[in-house]
Amino acid sequence: MRRSPFFALLGTALALGAGSTVAAPPERTWTLRGEPPVVVLLFAQRTTAPAVVTMDEAFRREIERSYERSIDLHVEYLDIPDDRDTVYRDRLVDLLRAKYQGQPVGVVVAVRQEALRFTLEHRQQVFGGAPIVFVDVTIDAATGEPVC
């Protein structure tokens, strides 16, 4: 079965996060111990946006079809109203940090540039430095960002 480039990249990111066959920084080294890797699908928009529903369903369908192992998929909807709303953002960071504390996140899939920017800003404290795969981000929006 031929895997799409996106899911090949997702598989590579999961392998990097596992640290079992690829060297990773000490903070990223963890063993799966038979547990499925945690994949966080992070949407910038709210759940009611039609494109979000379509992408969520397509992602779930394709990950089941393309990835040979089971995963523990978590879907988060940031719904960030405004970059200036620091109170909301701080509460969101606290909530996600508490939720993923103690869970080794294998990879974060950021959908849209707002989700990518949020993930880059809070990757270490919320997701333990997990690798990031992003989608629906223009090359201009990603240029200059320390993605890896």
Side-chain angles (χ1 to χ4, degrees):
M1 168 182 7
R2 186 173 178 273
R3 288 172 44 171
S4 72
F6 175 80
F7 286 95
L9 182 59
L10 181 63
T12 301
L14 285 168
L16 284 171
S20 58
T21 58
V22 180
E27 67 273 8
R28 286 296 312 136
T29 303
W30 51 274
T31 306
L32 293 176
R33 295 179 297 259
E35 298 170 7
V38 173
V39 174
V40 178
L41 181 57
L42 198 62
F43 286 100
Q45 310 95 325
R46 63 183 60 152
T47 60
T48 57
V52 170
V53 174
T54 302
M55 188 172 284
D56 185 348
E57 290 171 355
F59 186 86
R60 288 172 191 272
R61 186 175 50 252
E62 187 63 22
I63 197 82
E64 288 174 6
R65 188 180 74 75
S66 298
Y67 196 63
E68 289 85 25
R69 298 174 41 208
S70 63
I71 64 162
D72 184 4
L73 179 63
H74 296 247
V75 182
E76 303 291 349
Y77 306 94
L78 298 176
D79 193 22
I80 299 173
D82 190 334
D83 281 342
R84 296 176 303 237
D85 191 347
T86 57
V87 173
Y88 177 84
R89 187 177 294 266
D90 290 347
R91 287 182 179 167
L92 187 58
V93 168
D94 290 343
L95 172 72
L96 293 173
R97 184 179 335 143
K99 183 174 182 177
Y100 293 106
Q101 183 176 1
Q103 287 191 64
V105 175
V107 64
V108 177
V109 180
V111 182
R112 298 187 51 112
Q113 70 185 33
E114 299 89 351
L116 175 60
R117 191 174 9 211
F118 178 89
T119 305
L120 289 169
E121 289 173 10
H122 306 288
R123 171 162 113 178
Q124 190 61 44
Q125 65 189 44
V126 174
F127 304 112
I132 304 168
V133 177
F134 55 92
V135 63
D136 196 16
V137 175
T138 64
I139 202 73
D140 291 341
T143 302
E145 298 285 2
V147 175
C148 294

